[in-house]
Amino acid sequence: MQLAKNDILARLVETDPARLEELWLAADSLRRQYLGDAIHLRGLVEISNICVRSCAYCGLRTGRSDLKRYRMTLPEILEAARRIASHSFGTIVLQSGEDQGITQSWLAQVIARIKTETGLAITLSLGERSHSDLEGWRIAGADRYLLRFETSDRTLFGCIHPPRPGQTSDRFKTLEWLGQMGYEVGTGIMVGIPGQTYTSLADDIGLFRDLDVDMVGIGPFLPHPATPLGSAHHPSGPDQVPNSETMTLKVLALTRLNCPTINIPSTTALATISDVSREHGLKAGANVIMPNFTPRQYRLLYDIYPSKTDVDENDELFPDVIKARIHSMGRTVGQGPGRRPRHRS
Ligand code: 5AD
């Protein structure tokens, strides 16, 4: 079913609790119908917090002199990969800032070693990289690539995500390349960016389907005090989308209705809102969780946004805790790599 833009807009502004409950239930039942009850676990490793970009929302932006920078070594990454495999997860996600020190040849070696030693599916989330880098990593064995377009409003995107001097950035072009190279492709957005309107948000949801991506990550915008968008007070008119849990869940559920077979994580950014937000995501269409396996000494340095409630996330036992929570929800732990099913809706 393809939702019309007006239909999406009407549900984005819905406030009636009974109608919202219907929306969560519709998304949940479509998720069950197409994907079953399995929740796939992906082990996240934040391999570098070095970044050349100066995004107005992100705490890793270049020029933040108060933030100590790191890049993990090959042995450290392999160690994290082994831990992920030892918990029977099917996928490792390697994420970083846009770090030019992550060269094609070095990362190709990392990818090859992870593949031969663990057999894990490998997802990369390393920002905007060249055609040749992306191709090289695909050949080396990477399976998936995540690149959120953040907002389809080109003017807003330009304001919050300035290009590197003398260069242009076109995330839609990069997403197209990734598909052509045979990657499974993930994208996504932040909900409640200052200046984001309901109309543009409805366009974002329509685009997920038009782009035919395999995965969509949706999280609330979380103001970071060390960034230009970090101040708590922004001019807000009636068309400003709030960065609330409910609004994030609406976008998640509508994305599920529009794209029944894709993988949708209940994101860490959503989980920072309250202790039950992650579960709410899983009951409104999500089917993936990405527990953090970044070594302890680097966790706080991967300071994209301020996080309050990741206390249990930092516990060694978190993978087991999360499995217990999955079972207590009446769901099962996904086996294997958890690819998007091949049949299309
Ligand atoms: N609030 C919420 N999400 C953020 N991201 C980056 N900074 C923030 C923030 N302040 C998200 C972006 C990026 C992903 C890796 O993290 O959507 O694509």
Side-chain angles (χ1 to χ4, degrees):
M1 161 180 58
Q2 172 142 32
L3 296 170
K5 184 170 172 183
N6 276 348
D7 226 11
I8 296 177
L9 265 175
R11 301 206 213 185
L12 285 175
V13 297
E14 180 64 67
T15 53
D16 177 56
R19 300 289 289 272
L20 285 175
E21 194 60 33
E22 277 170 29
L23 178 58
W24 319 144
L25 286 174
D28 196 45
S29 94
L30 211 60
R31 184 270 309 153
R32 182 171 304 114
Q33 181 185 336
Y34 282 88
L35 302 168
D37 281 333
I39 294 177
H40 291 284
L41 298 171
R42 326 282 202 204
L44 176 65
V45 187
E46 294 151 335
I47 62 174
S48 163
N49 71 350
I50 299 168
C51 193
V52 294
R53 306 300 289 260
S54 42
C55 301
Y57 49 90
C58 181
L60 302 189
R61 65 203 308 274
T62 187
R64 242 195 100 187
S65 51
D66 59 319
L67 183 67
K68 192 175 153 221
R69 305 284 174 162
Y70 72 89
R71 182 183 307 124
M72 287 173 65
T73 63
L74 172 65
E76 286 173 330
I77 298 171
L78 286 175
E79 169 62 23
R82 284 187 213 103
R83 281 187 57 223
I84 291 166
S86 77
H87 287 283
S88 309
F89 287 19
T91 299
I92 184 170
V93 181
L94 303 179
Q95 191 177 83
S96 72
E98 233 167 88
D99 176 2
Q100 298 303 320
I102 296 179
T103 60
Q104 189 197 80
S105 59
W106 178 76
L107 194 74
Q109 188 195 352
V110 174
I111 291 167
R113 289 285 298 273
I114 293 174
K115 272 283 167 197
T116 45
E117 293 187 28
T118 67
L120 290 166
I122 300 174
T123 302
L124 304 178
S125 175
L126 311 171
E128 294 164 30
R129 300 291 307 225
S130 70
H131 188 278
S132 128
D133 285 349
L134 298 170
E135 202 165 50
W137 296 331
R138 174 76 188 130
I139 291 165
D143 300 277
R144 308 182 183 129
Y145 202 97
L146 307 178
L147 183 68
R148 292 185 177 180
F149 61 75
E150 315 293 0
T151 168
S152 60
D153 177 337
R154 295 259 179 182
T155 313
L156 179 60
F157 184 78
C159 290
I160 65 171
H161 191 91
R164 297 173 68 187
Q167 297 193 15
T168 52
S169 83
D170 185 345
R171 291 196 167 192
F172 294 104
K173 186 87 210 149
T174 306
L175 291 171
E176 198 181 312
W177 290 344
L178 291 164
Q180 288 161 354
M181 290 173 193
Y183 280 97
E184 272 195 282
V185 181
T187 191
I189 56 165
M190 291 180 289
V191 175
I193 306 166
Q196 188 179 40
T197 62
Y198 288 96
T199 331
S200 79
L201 197 53
D203 286 336
D204 298 347
I205 295 168
L207 258 179
F208 295 148
R209 186 181 169 107
D210 297 343
L211 294 170
D212 192 26
V213 288
D214 303 295
M215 181 270 181
V216 170
I218 298 155
F221 161 71
L222 301 167
H224 189 306
T227 66
L229 289 181
S231 80
H233 302 291
H234 294 286
S236 78
D239 210 21
Q240 169 66 49
V241 171
N243 60 345
S244 62
E245 172 180 318
T246 303
M247 188 54 61
T248 307
L249 293 176
K250 286 182 195 175
V251 178
L252 201 161
L254 290 165
T255 301
R256 172 59 71 207
L257 294 186
N258 232 10
C259 313
T261 63
I262 65 168
N263 285 316
I264 304 182
S266 192
T267 56
T268 306
L270 174 61
T272 64
I273 296 186
S274 87
D275 287 351
V276 287
S277 303
R278 192 198 308 271
E279 252 158 72
H280 289 166
L282 294 168
K283 289 178 174 165
N287 69 319
V288 170
I289 306 177
M290 298 166 64
N292 197 328
F293 281 80
T294 307
R296 197 168 288 270
Q297 69 268 32
Y298 301 131
R299 286 273 173 106
L300 289 178
L301 299 177
Y302 202 78
D303 183 29
I304 305 188
Y305 49 71
S307 56
K308 304 175 287 261
T309 61
D310 62 352
V311 187
D312 57 350
E313 287 245 7
N314 284 333
D315 197 294
E316 291 280 311
L317 295 174
F318 185 66
D320 299 319
V321 170
I322 209 82
K323 285 180 188 172
R325 283 197 210 151
I326 288 171
H327 289 128
S328 73
M329 290 175 72
R331 308 273 281 271
T332 59
V333 176
Q335 303 296 316
R339 290 178 61 90
R340 176 193 187 184
R342 291 215 169 275
H343 61 271
R344 295 284 191 258
S345 52

